[in-house]
């Protein structure tokens, strides 16, 4: 019998999250009384296919969130950028990994079905991401005016979890480090470096909590779902 597949989830959470406006980085704001990042970690741990969850956090938080060796979740020191934090997570995982999912700490309502579909697409194609069509027309702006209007039918908004065979994620973070390139999205980086990154249909519920009103909406959804996945 072949060895069971080892699936690692990296949740970069080392940012200062200042765009939200408060002192607390947005990934630590409470949803249903627990920090968002904890909600996300628990949802992944609830899924039996996940071997390990690694959460890069800011250095100053490390001592507060110590875990013991052997636990399925581990906190490690993040880096100066999101991509460097993902890289630290990958380094901490060592060689015991086949597939890696990178997920935003501020997307608590990701669907397990979509996660599995994305893993499956990564298994077959090497890399995959969930994307959704854009509800709004998007314009490219120059000098406060429309410069061009891309065809909306060929655009998608990228979500997470973005999934990769480990060799591909290692390749793209190493190349980005060599070229001093940064990225907000690993899927886009993989495509830039010539890998096929398969689109999987995402869900509108898997929105990113970036503004205070998103958190208000998230609390309502959480209450309506009856605290699903609560541990
Ligand atoms: O700041 P931004 O919204 O782009 O961050 C995206 C994600 O990357 C957040 O979850 C943040 O915590 C994480 N991040 C990180 N290490 C950094 C910067 C951001 O893990 N140095």
């Amino acid at each position: 019998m072949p060895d069971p597949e080892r699936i690692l989830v990296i949740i970069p959470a080392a940012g200062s999250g200042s765009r939200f406006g408060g002192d607390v980085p947005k990934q630590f704001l409470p949803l249903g009384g627990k920090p968002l990042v904890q909600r996300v970690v628990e949802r992944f741990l609830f899924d039996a296919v996940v071997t390990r969850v690694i959460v890069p956090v800011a250095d100053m938080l490390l001592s507060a969130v110590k875990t013991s060796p052997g636990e399925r979740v581990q906190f490690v020191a993040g880096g100066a950028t999101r991509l460097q934090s993902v890289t630290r997570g990958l380094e901490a995982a060592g060689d015991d990994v086949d597939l890696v999912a990178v997920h935003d700490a501020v997307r608590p309502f990701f669907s397990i079905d979509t996660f599995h579909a994305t893993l499956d697409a990564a298994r077959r194609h090497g890399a995959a991401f969930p994307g959704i069509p854009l509800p709004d027309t998007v314009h490219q702006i120059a000098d406060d005016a429309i410069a061009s209007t891309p065809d909306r039918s060929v655009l998608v908004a990228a979500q997470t979890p973005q999934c990769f065979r480990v060799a591909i994620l290692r390749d793209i973070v190493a190349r980005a480090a060599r070229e001093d390139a940064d990225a907000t999205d690993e899927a886009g980086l993989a495509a830039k470096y010539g890998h096929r990154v398969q689109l999987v249909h995402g869900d509108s519920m898997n929105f990113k909590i970036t503004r205070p009103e998103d958190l208000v909406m998230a609390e309502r959804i959480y209450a309506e779902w009856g605290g699903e996945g609560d541990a």
Side-chain angles (χ1 to χ4, degrees):
M1 210 166 80
D3 287 339
E5 194 177 42
R6 297 150 307 175
I7 295 174
L8 165 70
V9 178
I10 299 176
I11 304 169
S16 60
S18 46
R19 272 182 301 171
F20 211 92
D23 290 339
V24 180
K26 54 186 186 283
Q27 63 274 23
F28 296 106
L29 289 169
L31 173 64
K34 283 186 189 175
L36 277 168
V37 61
Q38 189 179 347
R39 290 268 167 231
V40 167
V41 167
E42 285 175 359
R43 204 163 157 79
F44 278 111
L45 290 177
F46 195 69
D47 183 359
V49 310
V50 172
T51 316
R52 221 166 149 194
V53 177
I54 294 186
V55 188
V57 294
D59 279 357
M60 58 183 273
L61 276 176
L62 257 191
S63 56
V65 290
K66 275 251 149 48
T67 45
S68 332
E71 272 188 59
R72 264 168 91 215
V73 59
Q74 239 185 309
F75 295 87
V76 300
T81 62
R82 174 196 161 99
L83 192 59
Q84 286 175 21
S85 293
V86 169
T87 308
R88 295 278 162 80
L90 200 52
E91 285 165 359
D95 290 331
D96 292 342
V97 186
D98 299 302
L99 290 173
V100 188
V102 181
H103 185 67
D104 293 328
V106 290
R107 290 187 194 269
F109 302 120
F110 68 92
S111 131
I112 295 289
D113 285 349
T114 306
F115 171 42
H116 290 182
T118 313
L119 280 174
D120 199 42
R123 203 174 276 128
R124 284 181 289 124
H125 300 282
F129 78 109
I132 55 170
L134 298 175
D136 302 314
T137 296
V138 175
H139 301 297
Q140 187 157 5
I141 296 297
D143 196 17
D144 282 343
I146 294 177
S148 65
T149 305
D151 174 7
R152 202 177 64 180
S153 68
V154 298
L155 299 176
V156 292
Q159 301 183 325
T160 68
Q162 303 187 342
C163 300
F164 307 86
R165 283 192 213 129
V166 68
I168 289 180
L169 190 60
R170 285 209 181 103
D171 172 58
I172 66 169
V173 300
R175 279 169 82 167
R178 278 200 302 274
E179 295 173 13
D180 205 15
D182 198 14
T184 52
D185 170 276
E186 290 72 29
L189 197 61
K192 177 179 157 187
Y193 289 144
H195 296 286
R196 178 182 170 88
V197 185
Q198 185 69 28
L199 170 66
V200 170
H201 292 293
D203 326 83
S204 53
M205 290 303 286
N206 185 18
F207 62 93
K208 194 172 176 182
I209 297 177
T210 43
R211 297 158 301 183
E213 57 269 34
D214 298 330
L215 193 58
V216 173
M217 179 138 77
E219 283 289 4
R220 280 200 204 128
I221 294 167
Y222 183 78
E224 205 154 294
W225 287 11
E228 187 206 310
D230 239 350

